Amino acid sequence: MADSPLTRAVRWDTVVGALLVVVLLLSFGFVDGFGNSLNLSFLIGNTLPIALIALPMTLLVVSGEIDLSVASTAGLSGAVMGALWNQGMTIEAIIPICLLLGVACGLFNGLLVTRLGLPSLAVTIGTLAAYRGIAQIVLGSDAVTDFPSQYLDFAAGRFDGTFVPYAFVPFLVLLVVAVVALHAMPFGRSLFAIGASEEAARFAGIRVKRQKLILFTLTGLMSSLTGVFWALHYASARYDNATGLELSVVAAVLLGGIDFDGGKGTLGGAIAGVFLLGALQNVMSLQDVSAQSQIVVTGVLLVLSVLGPRVARQISLARAGRRVAAPPPSKTPAPTP
Amino acid sequence: MTHPSDTGTAPVLALRDVSKSFGAVRALRDVSLELFPGEVHALAGENGAGKSTLIKTLAGVHRPDAGQVLLDGTPVVFHGPGDARDAGIAVIYQEPTLFPDLSIAENIFMGRQPRRALGRIDHKATHDATAQLMRRLGVELDPDRPARGLSIADQQIVEIAKALSFDARVLIMDEPTAALTGSEVARLFGVVRTLREQGAAVLFISHRLEEIFHICKRVTTLRDGAWIASEPLEGMTEDDLVRRMVGRDLDELYPKQEVTPGETALSVRRLTREGVFTDVSFEVRRGEIVALAGLVGAGRTEVARAVFGVDRWDAGEVEVDGKPLVNGAPSSAMAAGLALVPEDRRAQGLVMDMSIERNIGLTGLRTTVKAGLVDRGAERSRSLDWAVKLQVKYARIADTVATLSGGNQQKVVLAKWLATGPKVLIVDEPTRGIDVGTKAEVHRLLSQLAADGVAVLMISSDLPEVLGMADRVLVMHEGRLTAEISRTDATEETVMAAATGRAAA
């Protein structure tokens, strides 16, 4: 939601966008191996899974919900993809099945949240474990790698002479769709209202449960699409694909200025947050920072991105409070009756 | 102020030039008040006049920004409700909060029961002390009876007994009669007289003017947070008092136009939501303002919620212009031309963090659409149009509604719903907590809407508003529609009789 220019002179999503530019410029200038087109294509390719899931996740968090099972759904899709491939099915038949599976996973989350009224945080922590467990049952510890080469080439390749991966183009299309849906369509408008005040949204005739069910289902669909992309991009379908990706997605979305309590933020900010996180992870890899340390950085960023806006609010409240509060009068003992 | 009491005593508790603000809202401005022992003093004023703030200041909940609280003539500062209680000030609220599973005696002596050796509770002493308190009040209530199942009236008696056990010298009674039946009121007044004779000072708040004249000696009137007058009630008429409270004659506050009702617009038949309301049937015709009166908790708001579809109903049907509504679907109600201005504007009527423009726009998400996208130009002009028509006072249409005053927020809620061009408008407590000027504007608006052919159903706990605005009054009592009273027959007495479950006199 656009705040009026005077109440918030500098918008957080603009800040994140500027920060992204600064990090990119510094990296070009000072990080060896950052600016070559191979590394840039790695950066984008490795960030795409986060970015793809961040699209529906942004809409979900704006509406006041969250889905932590996204990485497990992606992993389950990859596992099912590998298992069916081993069974001899064609990839053209497998991919729609995987996407339908994602729809089912998302629908299940959504039904638990909207029909039974359970908190999405708890529900999706549960399905985070459950979906990953099913993935392991389906594929065991196998790694399926022999997918058709034209699919592998598409998922890992880039346009000749550039650093732009092929897969970036469909992402851009989905990004435009998501931006329009969130910021220009009545659907998106209703999500902001739901996130800011679910009760007021209901009293305005907005179908809160239906909108949320749609969002969870879309999130499941995008997660499974990401799972398929992941298996092809890295030419490896394993049950533990994309483990921990939900952390990166949530961190990036919150970093991008989407309010965890719902009702505030822009998709532009969220995507800036995604690529800021992607760029930082890329730079850390180039500097030989271990994967474990990178997770620490991501976790700290997550905490900071939730903490930052709150600290700012507390400071401004404290300032306002000082102006209003009267000096404490001295206590006069009450006479005994 | 001169000394009005004929007993020749000094005020036991007084406020002198007290002011209190909450942010930009000045709840009390230079208010003074004197309470004398052995006297029942009325506090009069409309909703939002500052009565609650005054009570909370006396009870030590709020500390005044300016001015003094005087106890026996000495300035005191209460650092919390405990200080006020220790000073002998007790507040009896409209709806007491007792521990339901504890006995009356245990409730009264909660946390300070008489002890025997080894810190064991002395149940006999607790029982006897309670029985003695009840005798003092002239009431028969078994001290060992659990609080669960006590009527509101009996619960209030328990609270009064508790106050006495603290040696309270000042009793503040905040609308104690709002939920009581006639005989219960009579008994409560008996207790109040007993307290008065025993030398207690009582501050009595009631919306029922005849009660004020019946039991009180003097009255202090507040309006919009300002002190208007403190004077003896003797020689005053109810009209005099209303004029003090409202600051104008009633005719201006309730500008009801005479309209010949048209066809039935809203038809509710045998509507039931189990455990909440039962077998509710009524119609509202075009051009009519129908009031739905009753006590708080009688089920009025719940009926409105079910009709609009926010809650589901278990049986019955609702039609707008002959078209049945889908159960539990506000969007269906909206499409049929129904609008609901809900009771709680901050939680239900508005998205507080959203702009005025977008709040008004929320009801137009299905209509101000071009090629599947929100038509921002149309949205803005729709919002501006209605904000101007309703004279909302704002700086920029893109400001959040949280920056507006309560009255202007209510206008935004009305704008949001009027922009849908409703055939039927349900307003739930449309003027609660807003200032008198805006209140008159809202009334004029409702009257004009009815004249333009809108069917208006108005839920209100404000009896003068009900009597001043409604063509017909429907009354609910404990989940059932108990009376339908025409404009000519509607008086405070007939409406209250039906609302409290007494047969109309």
Side-chain angles (χ1 to χ4, degrees):
Chain A
M1 189 182 67
D3 288 67
S4 78
L6 282 170
T7 52
R8 191 187 280 187
V10 183
R11 286 175 29 166
W12 180 249
D13 51 358
T14 322
V15 173
V16 177
L19 213 56
L20 173 62
V21 171
V22 170
V23 166
L24 288 179
L25 288 177
L26 288 176
S27 305
F28 273 111
F30 299 103
V31 179
D32 280 343
F34 182 84
N36 69 61
S37 57
L38 182 66
N39 180 61
L40 289 177
S41 78
F42 280 163
L43 190 168
I44 295 172
N46 291 338
T47 309
L48 272 180
I50 303 175
L52 283 168
I53 300 180
L55 298 178
M57 186 72 84
T58 299
L59 274 59
L60 207 50
V61 177
V62 161
S63 74
E65 302 289 345
I66 198 161
D67 184 350
L68 297 180
S69 73
V70 287
S72 297
T73 305
L76 177 58
S77 296
V80 167
M81 187 177 163
L84 293 179
W85 179 254
N86 280 347
Q87 299 287 316
M89 277 179 77
T90 65
I91 194 89
E92 290 79 7
I94 292 172
I95 290 177
I97 291 173
C98 288
L99 297 184
L100 277 178
L101 181 68
V103 167
C105 289
L107 200 60
F108 183 67
N109 287 335
L111 287 174
L112 287 178
V113 171
T114 59
R115 299 298 141 189
L116 300 185
L118 305 176
S120 56
L121 197 67
V123 165
T124 59
I125 285 176
T127 52
L128 177 155
Y131 295 162
R132 185 68 72 183
I134 298 170
Q136 192 168 8
I137 293 167
V138 167
L139 196 61
S141 53
D142 284 0
V144 181
T145 57
D146 55 346
F147 295 112
S149 59
Q150 67 269 34
Y151 284 89
L152 296 176
D153 290 347
F154 173 80
R158 54 190 161 120
F159 291 103
D160 280 343
T162 71
F163 61 86
V164 181
Y166 296 129
F168 194 62
V169 174
F171 164 73
L172 281 182
V173 174
L174 290 170
L175 174 61
V176 170
V177 170
V179 168
V180 170
L182 183 62
H183 295 296
M185 283 172 60
F187 177 69
R189 216 33 102 61
S190 73
L191 299 186
F192 282 106
I194 291 169
S197 171
E198 188 168 325
E199 201 178 4
R202 226 152 52 89
F203 273 89
I206 291 167
R207 290 189 244 179
V208 174
K209 287 182 177 180
R210 196 190 67 150
Q211 311 290 64
K212 285 188 175 176
L213 194 60
I214 291 173
L215 285 182
F216 277 106
T217 308
L218 281 176
T219 306
L221 174 65
M222 288 299 289
S223 301
S224 60
L225 180 69
T226 304
V228 169
F229 170 72
W230 185 290
L232 295 174
H233 182 71
Y234 297 109
S236 170
R238 289 172 47 90
Y239 82 90
D240 62 352
N241 272 7
T243 298
L245 192 68
E246 71 280 343
L247 172 64
S248 300
V249 174
V250 173
V253 165
L254 297 185
L255 181 62
I258 309 298
D259 191 321
F260 188 71
D261 291 332
K264 286 197 183 73
T266 64
L267 200 52
I271 294 304
V274 166
F275 282 95
L276 181 57
L277 184 66
L280 289 174
Q281 286 178 347
N282 178 270
V283 169
M284 286 188 288
S285 297
L286 289 174
Q287 305 289 341
D288 289 328
V289 177
S290 72
Q292 288 77 3
S293 306
Q294 291 189 30
I295 294 176
V296 173
V297 171
T298 308
V300 169
L301 269 179
L302 175 60
V303 174
L304 287 181
S305 55
V306 181
L307 199 64
R310 271 162 216 250
V311 169
R313 206 176 311 151
Q314 285 301 321
I315 290 171
S316 63
L317 277 180
R319 275 192 193 150
R322 251 207 312 279
R323 262 178 282 139
V324 177
S330 62
K331 178 170 169 119
T332 316
T336 42
Chain B
M1 268 179 290
T2 52
H3 193 276
S5 174
D6 48 12
T7 56
T9 46
V12 51
L13 184 65
L15 293 180
R16 190 178 291 159
D17 300 328
V18 161
S19 296
K20 178 74 189 173
S21 297
F22 300 100
V25 180
R26 299 184 65 191
L28 290 179
R29 283 174 286 171
D30 299 327
V31 172
S32 297
L33 174 76
E34 291 183 325
L35 300 177
F36 293 91
E39 187 179 290
V40 183
H41 190 112
L43 182 61
E46 293 202 294
N47 293 332
K51 298 188 304 262
S52 306
T53 310
L54 187 148
I55 293 167
K56 286 180 177 162
T57 305
L58 289 176
V61 177
H62 294 322
R63 203 179 297 175
D65 298 337
Q68 288 176 317
V69 180
L70 300 159
L71 188 71
D72 295 322
T74 315
V76 288
V77 175
F78 296 139
H79 290 267
D83 283 3
R85 193 188 60 201
D86 294 345
I89 300 166
V91 184
I92 312 299
Y93 292 101
Q94 184 180 335
E95 288 177 28
T97 47
L98 300 178
F99 296 99
D101 294 317
L102 299 184
S103 72
I104 290 175
E106 285 167 329
N107 265 290
I108 289 175
F109 289 99
M110 185 77 224
R112 51 194 182 96
Q113 291 95 337
R115 298 299 171 100
R116 295 196 294 162
L118 302 174
R120 288 171 300 160
I121 290 172
D122 187 341
H123 289 287
K124 178 152 194 325
T126 312
H127 175 99
D128 293 347
T130 306
Q132 198 192 337
L133 287 170
M134 292 300 166
R135 270 197 301 281
R136 251 179 89 186
L137 291 174
V139 187
E140 286 186 16
L141 276 178
D142 177 5
D144 295 329
R145 193 203 147 134
R148 187 185 299 283
L150 286 179
S151 69
I152 299 267
D154 286 342
Q155 293 181 41
Q156 284 174 346
I157 300 287
V158 174
E159 290 280 3
I160 293 171
K162 188 173 175 179
L164 287 185
S165 75
F166 277 105
D167 296 320
R169 299 181 300 151
V170 179
L171 250 89
I172 301 166
M173 309 183 82
D174 188 4
E175 296 196 42
T177 59
L180 303 193
T181 64
S183 56
E184 288 172 334
V185 170
R187 187 178 65 156
L188 181 71
F189 282 4
V191 169
V192 170
R193 281 193 205 97
T194 308
L195 292 168
R196 186 181 66 191
E197 278 148 26
Q198 292 170 0
V202 179
L203 182 64
F204 181 82
I205 294 111
S206 175
H207 279 304
R208 301 186 201 165
L209 298 183
E210 75 276 10
E211 290 179 356
I212 289 179
F213 281 91
H214 185 67
I215 191 95
C216 301
K217 179 160 184 167
R218 289 193 308 138
V219 59
T220 293
T221 312
L222 301 180
R223 189 197 311 147
D224 296 334
W227 179 87
I228 301 299
S230 289
E231 58 207 320
L233 277 157
E234 212 171 67
M236 279 179 85
T237 65
E238 291 196 4
D239 283 349
D240 293 337
L241 186 51
V242 166
R243 211 165 293 121
R244 299 258 199 292
M245 288 162 58
V246 176
R248 69 179 88 191
D249 285 321
L250 273 183
D251 303 354
E252 291 173 53
L253 188 58
Y254 303 111
K256 175 78 179 87
Q257 303 179 31
E258 287 308 318
V259 179
T260 312
E263 289 164 13
T264 299
L266 174 67
S267 161
V268 174
R269 282 197 292 274
R270 314 214 61 168
L271 205 66
T272 298
R273 181 171 161 85
E274 267 176 48
V276 183
F277 55 84
T278 308
D279 198 15
V280 172
S281 301
F282 62 88
E283 293 187 343
V284 185
R285 293 154 76 183
R286 291 177 164 275
E288 256 191 329
I289 298 179
V290 174
L292 190 52
L295 302 180
V296 172
R300 300 168 298 163
T301 295
E302 290 75 10
V303 168
R305 289 171 63 113
V307 166
F308 186 66
V310 176
D311 294 333
R312 297 182 65 84
W313 63 75
D314 296 318
E317 49 194 35
V318 180
E319 286 180 0
V320 171
D321 268 359
K323 239 179 66 185
L325 298 188
V326 179
N327 191 358
S331 50
S332 143
M334 282 172 69
L338 188 64
L340 169 66
V341 173
E343 178 184 32
D344 182 344
R345 67 176 161 265
R346 298 175 63 86
Q348 301 166 340
L350 296 169
V351 180
M352 296 304 285
D353 284 346
M354 267 195 178
S355 66
I356 301 162
E357 175 182 9
R358 297 238 164 144
N359 265 289
I360 299 176
L362 270 188
T363 54
L365 286 182
R366 282 190 195 80
T367 44
T368 48
V369 173
K370 210 154 69 184
L373 307 182
V374 178
D375 185 340
R376 293 198 183 188
E379 183 183 48
R380 171 150 295 202
S381 59
R382 178 181 181 269
S383 299
L384 278 171
D385 274 0
W386 283 100
V388 169
K389 261 186 219 167
L390 267 58
Q391 301 174 338
V392 181
K393 290 182 194 73
Y394 61 90
R396 283 173 305 269
I397 196 89
D399 287 347
T400 63
V401 290
T403 62
L404 301 177
S405 71
N408 280 299
Q409 287 175 358
Q410 186 69 341
K411 285 183 181 178
V412 173
V413 184
L414 282 161
K416 159 184 171 179
W417 285 108
L418 295 183
T420 64
K423 294 174 189 153
V424 179
L425 177 67
I426 305 177
V427 286
D428 193 351
E429 304 289 1
T431 61
R432 174 147 76 196
I434 65 181
D435 60 278
V436 178
T438 311
K439 192 168 174 173
E441 280 182 62
V442 170
H443 290 153
R444 203 170 302 122
L445 182 71
L446 292 177
S447 185
Q448 186 57 46
L449 285 167
D452 293 343
V454 176
V456 179
L457 179 66
M458 179 181 77
I459 298 172
S460 177
S461 300
D462 185 338
L463 264 184
E465 178 172 274
V466 167
L467 300 178
M469 294 302 296
D471 293 298
R472 279 188 294 140
V473 183
L474 305 171
V475 188
M476 283 189 78
H477 174 65
E478 291 180 354
R480 286 176 186 273
L481 214 53
T482 49
E484 176 171 343
I485 306 170
S486 68
R487 181 174 180 79
T488 44
D489 294 339
T491 62
E492 301 219 350
E493 288 74 28
T494 53
V495 174
M496 280 317 297
T500 51
R502 284 175 284 159

